[in-house]
Amino acid sequence: MDAHTEVSLDATHPLDPLTLAEIARAVALLKAGKALSETHRFPMVRLEEPAKAELKAWRAGAALPRLAFVLTLDAATGVASEAVVDLSAGRVADFKVLPNDQLPYGQPPIMIEEFIRAEEIVKADPGWRAAVLKRGITEADIPLVQIDPFSSGYFGRDFEKGRRIVRAVSYWREDIRDNGYAHPIEGVVAVVDLIANKVVHLVDEEKIVPVPRKKRNYGREAFPDTREDVKPLNIVQPKGPSFTVDGWKVEWQNWSFRIGFTPREGLVLHELGITDGGRLRPVIFRASVTEMVVPYADPTANHYWKSAFDAGEYGLGRLANQLELGCDCLGLIHYFDVPAADDLGQPFVMKNAICMHEEDYGTLWKHYEFRNGIYETRRSRRLVISFFATVGNYDYGFYWYLYQDGTIQLEAKLTGIIQTAAVTPGETYPWGGMVDEGLGGPTHQHFFNARLHMDVDGGGNTVTEHEFVPRPWGDDNPYGNVFDSRSRVLKRELDSPALANGETGRFWKVSNQNVANSVGKAPGYKVVVMPTPVMLAQEGSTVAQRGGFAKKHIWVTAFDKGEKYASGDYPNVNAGGGGLPAYVQQNRPIENADVVLWHSFGHTHVCKPEDFPIMPVEYAGFLLKPNGFFSANIAMDLPPEKNAHSRENREAEDGEKRHSGGSCCH
């Protein structure tokens, strides 16, 4: 069973995503105002969001223009530009040509039409054809060879500088439904200039590694004998869901927020707050995943350059899936359709791009007091807001969870197909794990960066770092059992870059020092992170320079409307040095300020046979937990479950059995 929020004809709130009509109007105004040609493409069209102060003024009655941000690329010349279109006034309010042909500036994200064009360019190149023929591929095979155009990275070579390029690797397939990743063509890499429309560099290694031919397909026809003991599992809510939806606004179990969506980030949560004592209390003004990077640990020709920035180089929102009931989401589902623009700037609807539903999550709180027979337990329920994006071989799910006790969680789900390397029979693969005969999986890391524009109880916020330390033996610790918590205030941006530490239980707290809670302290939220490895690439490596945000778990910056992304605006073919490491060098004050907390988290993956042909989901994420934000456990008022196994029914059953002389074993 499902419900929909379909694309609206009109925006009703300043944070609502652009409507189809607004997308069309923004593109038309820009085309007319700047005389754009037929060769211009539109890698990004999104709402130019108002800031906190602008929204506050709007609520007080001030006018607020409806703005669209439009990124363009001339496919004939490679010239890129940014524009802000004032939809309220019907004019181009700002326009600038980007220096994307100069270092260290990068390129706009790769578009769908460029993926298709890159394959055509590669297959038409005589050098590439000769290289694959040497590896046992026949002319008859070439139409079915899979070409993966991959964001290229950057290494300072002439064909990279200021150029719009991709590096392309190839996979043999005998049939269109074959899993190409089981058959990598090793030692051949084509560099494609997407503006010149030609291969500008070709790697054709001297060593010939046989192409693995064993099929490892994953379509359902590859597994005709399925399990017969999986019984139906039905999730029913006969009285409907506990949430309400009004356009893009959602309310559930005292929570309130607005849903947004951008081509780069995908799902965005706006104005997330919770009602406490009859008052809506802000927690986060804006939350999203702004970037990913996936660096590989194989130094050979097909792999050393792989380090996809999946948000900045492709666009998580642009690659969002149409979610399916019963597969991606289970239960009573509410889907949100998302208005979007294609490469030509034409509006279209991304059906079922966002899924929202409730889940049972086990025990929330419980106690049995044997002295007086009080037995109370409450089950936890959480609200799930999610979307999935497929970026080449990998599939990523992004799941925001809200809990009835005030907890917030983000969970990234990693699945899909690993990158593979062909291995000469009889040899071992030194850069990862073997997944099948003649087939290796390179070791790699996945990093995500969540941007949390905090707003705890409104006003200025302060971030503090905390950890636990044992107290030395002494008069105040005669038994050696005392330990203390140590904290420090992050006063300026350069105080903030930090690593998680499992040994000391290091955590961070965002509080509002201008407000006192029920025990006289500042109300706050605790950021609970996992002490997983950060980026292991060497300092000075190009991937470390380009993805410096993944070198630390935590960063805190003063809010700046221009600092939207952890890797900077344009990481594609970028020489590096931008993003968070550059933002914090300004060393602005962040105590009692409008702050943004950025958290880098991820998964380090050594490939194994169980990861193929489709990798079971791996999980990564973090929690925000109330820490002095409420005066008590706010979930105490949850009603007890009413079912056949409730305490009341058990007591009635026990009474009947005592009366009849029977017994009961639980």
Side-chain angles (χ1 to χ4, degrees), residues 466-492:
H466 305 257
E467 53 195 332
F468 302 104
V469 292
R471 182 177 295 189
W473 290 91
D475 292 341
D476 57 353
N477 189 19
Y479 304 107
N481 62 311
V482 180
F483 61 91
D484 301 297
S485 61
R486 183 171 59 197
S487 64
R488 68 184 182 103
V489 177
L490 308 185
K491 295 180 178 293
R492 306 187 74 89

Side-chain angles (χ1 to χ4, degrees), residues 13-14 52 75 99 174 196 239 290 346 354 370 489 493 629 633:
H13 188 277
K52 278 184 192 177
E174 187 177 39
K239 294 185 179 181
T290 75
Q346 297 175 345
I354 302 168
F370 71 92
V489 177
E493 289 175 322
F629 190 79
N633 177 358

Side-chain angles (χ1 to χ4, degrees), residues 382 397-401 409-413 601 619-622:
R382 65 184 184 183
F398 298 92
Y399 286 66
W400 287 96
Y401 302 120
Q409 181 181 5
L410 174 62
E411 182 177 72
K413 300 185 180 186
F601 62 98
Y619 301 90
F622 64 95

Side-chain angles (χ1 to χ4, degrees), residues 297-320:
D298 181 334
T300 61
N302 278 51
H303 308 283
Y304 73 90
W305 45 270
K306 290 178 180 174
S307 55
F309 289 71
D310 290 335
E313 293 180 331
Y314 302 99
L316 294 172
R318 285 174 66 88
L319 299 175

Side-chain angles (χ1 to χ4, degrees), residues 215-477:
K215 293 202 175 188
R216 295 297 308 275
N217 293 339
Y218 54 85
R220 61 189 61 189
E221 69 273 13
F223 300 92
D225 299 322
T226 58
R227 301 183 190 188
E228 297 180 355
D229 58 349
V230 180
K231 307 300 183 185
L233 176 62
N234 298 317
I235 309 297
V236 294
Q237 292 180 271
K239 294 185 179 181
S242 300
F243 55 76
T244 61
V245 179
D246 181 9
W248 297 97
K249 183 178 181 180
V250 178
E251 293 183 337
W252 176 82
Q253 292 293 289
N254 297 322
W255 285 106
S256 174
F257 61 95
R258 304 193 71 88
I259 285 178
F261 201 89
T262 75
R264 178 163 176 166
E265 303 155 290
L267 178 60
V268 179
L269 300 186
H270 295 288
E271 297 189 316
L272 178 61
I274 190 165
T275 297
D276 175 34
R279 179 171 62 94
L280 180 61
R281 301 176 65 188
V283 179
I284 303 176
F285 180 70
R286 189 184 193 277
S288 69
V289 173
T290 75
E291 193 52 277
M292 288 182 56
V293 63
V294 187
Y296 283 78
D298 181 334
T300 61
N302 278 51
H303 308 283
Y304 73 90
W305 45 270
K306 290 178 180 174
S307 55
F309 289 71
D310 290 335
E313 293 180 331
Y314 302 99
L316 294 172
R318 285 174 66 88
L319 299 175
N321 293 176
Q322 177 174 304
L323 301 176
E324 293 190 17
L325 182 66
C327 297
D328 298 289
C329 306
L330 187 64
L332 203 161
I333 307 302
H334 189 99
Y335 290 112
F336 292 84
D337 296 340
V338 173
D342 65 15
D343 294 346
L344 297 175
Q346 297 175 345
F348 72 99
V349 176
M350 302 178 74
K351 296 288 292 183
N352 295 6
I354 302 168
C355 168
M356 185 173 71
H357 66 287
E358 295 176 280
E359 286 182 345
D360 179 87
Y361 198 63
T363 301
L364 175 57
W365 60 261
K366 175 177 179 173
H367 183 62
Y368 170 53
E369 179 54 67
F370 71 92
R371 296 172 183 85
N372 57 21
I374 294 179
Y375 183 100
E376 295 288 353
T377 183
R378 299 294 185 273
R379 292 196 68 79
S380 176
R381 189 180 298 189
R382 65 184 184 183
L383 185 68
V384 186
I385 315 102
S386 65
F387 85 106
F388 247 96
T390 299
V391 188
N393 55 298
Y394 266 113
D395 300 76
Y396 298 102
F398 298 92
Y399 286 66
W400 287 96
Y401 302 120
L402 302 179
Y403 294 85
Q404 293 160 308
D405 66 350
T407 297
I408 304 164
Q409 181 181 5
L410 174 62
E411 182 177 72
K413 300 185 180 186
L414 298 73
T415 183
I417 307 177
I418 61 172
Q419 285 284 309
T420 52
V423 180
T424 300
E427 295 185 4
T428 58
Y429 182 57
W431 314 113
M434 295 294 291
V435 297
D436 205 336
E437 182 181 354
L439 195 65
T443 295
H444 56 285
Q445 296 183 284
H446 300 259
F447 293 106
F448 308 87
N449 184 272
R451 179 184 183 273
L452 307 172
H453 186 180
M454 301 304 299
D455 196 25
V456 174
D457 263 336
N461 283 182
T462 297
V463 182
T464 48
E465 182 183 283
H466 305 257
E467 53 195 332
F468 302 104
V469 292
R471 182 177 295 189
W473 290 91
D475 292 341
D476 57 353
N477 189 19

